[in-house]
Amino acid sequence: MVLKIVRTVWPVMLTYVAIGAPCGMIMGQTGMEPWMVFALSSTFVTGSGQFMICNLWLAGVPAASIVASVAAISSRFALYSASITSHLTGASKSQTLAVAATLTEEAYGISLAKLVEGEDWGPRESFVLNVILIATWGVSCTTGAIVGAVVDVPTAIAAFVCTSLFICLLFSQRLSRGNVVAAVSGAVSVAVCKFLGLTNIAVPASVVAGMAIALACDAVFDGRGARDAR
């Protein structure tokens, strides 16, 4: 079973290595020891959140703002867990909890696709997949922290890996009115906050503003379309 899962997920594992190593370098530059990097990477399963924690910490952002920012971008995992548990038919509560508590974004996508397609896939396979990806991420980040302690890699170069990841995610999204409005509103909100000197709340404020404006825009246009149809 493990070999079958590895054969399915090895491209994602390679991606984790390429992204996890720079993340570990940045974590090391914040003063974390390799064992700390491994402990955090193995229990905090959102890589984008780890990048954000390190970059905001190095930028001197207050801890409360870091917590709010990371919580905002990590709240999606509650939706991932809720949606995949409904497909784990026949699983016990402990099995469901084990799968939901160890999800990563890539593991969610793979497991959900196999469960929906009716393949020979259940809570056991989903949990093992989660563990494999978490272990890969933890080892990659730890390796990056060790290498970063020996080789001086500029923070800006390592940090751009996270930025490029979000750029790729942005352009891989379906081009819809809501997505465009959310992206533009978030960018404008960051610029306005920084112009007003509200640097500490720029990131969480942009997240909230982008989602709120996009939802309001969709509600207005969807309602208008329904009225036109009538």
Side-chain angles (χ1 to χ4, degrees):
M1 182 189 67
V2 173
L3 291 177
K4 180 185 74 172
I5 294 174
V6 171
R7 284 195 296 268
T8 301
V9 80
W10 69 264
V12 178
M13 296 171 67
L14 293 180
T15 304
Y16 274 24
V17 173
I19 299 176
C23 183
M25 292 178 186
I26 299 176
M27 295 172 74
Q29 291 178 6
T30 64
M32 297 181 67
E33 298 291 335
W35 70 268
M36 297 178 182
V37 173
F38 182 78
L40 177 60
S41 302
S42 301
T43 54
F44 195 78
V45 292
T46 164
S48 57
Q50 288 181 219
F51 270 105
M52 181 173 285
I53 289 172
C54 298
N55 288 325
L56 294 180
W57 182 265
L58 290 173
V61 176
S65 182
I66 295 176
V67 171
S69 301
V70 176
I73 68 167
S74 301
S75 59
R76 65 191 185 279
F77 281 92
L79 301 177
Y80 293 159
S81 299
S83 72
I84 199 170
T85 52
S86 62
H87 296 280
L88 295 174
T89 55
S92 65
K93 290 184 177 180
S94 59
Q95 289 176 323
T96 301
L97 178 61
V99 173
T102 55
L103 277 177
T104 65
E105 285 179 313
E106 293 75 17
Y108 166 76
I110 294 172
S111 291
L112 184 63
K114 291 187 175 296
L115 290 168
V116 171
E117 292 170 2
E119 295 190 22
D120 184 18
W121 195 271
R124 189 161 171 254
E125 286 79 7
S126 297
F127 178 71
V128 173
L129 170 64
N130 295 350
V131 171
I132 290 174
L133 289 182
I134 290 175
T136 303
W137 176 258
V139 171
S140 301
C141 290
T142 306
T143 302
I146 295 172
V147 172
V150 179
V151 181
D152 186 19
V153 179
T155 305
I157 295 178
F160 185 72
V161 173
C162 183
T163 304
S164 61
L165 173 63
F166 278 105
I167 292 174
C168 291
L169 291 175
L170 175 63
F171 282 97
S172 65
Q173 296 298 308
R174 181 172 61 89
L175 186 61
S176 64
R177 180 180 56 244
N179 287 343
V180 173
V181 171
V184 174
S185 301
V188 172
S189 300
V190 170
V192 171
C193 288
K194 288 185 175 295
F195 178 77
L196 296 176
L198 304 174
T199 306
N200 294 341
I201 64 170
V203 175
S206 67
V207 173
V208 175
M211 291 189 298
I213 295 174
L215 290 173
C217 180
D218 282 344
V220 169
F221 279 93
D222 290 345
R224 184 179 299 172
R227 289 193 299 272
D228 293 341
R230 290 197 297 270

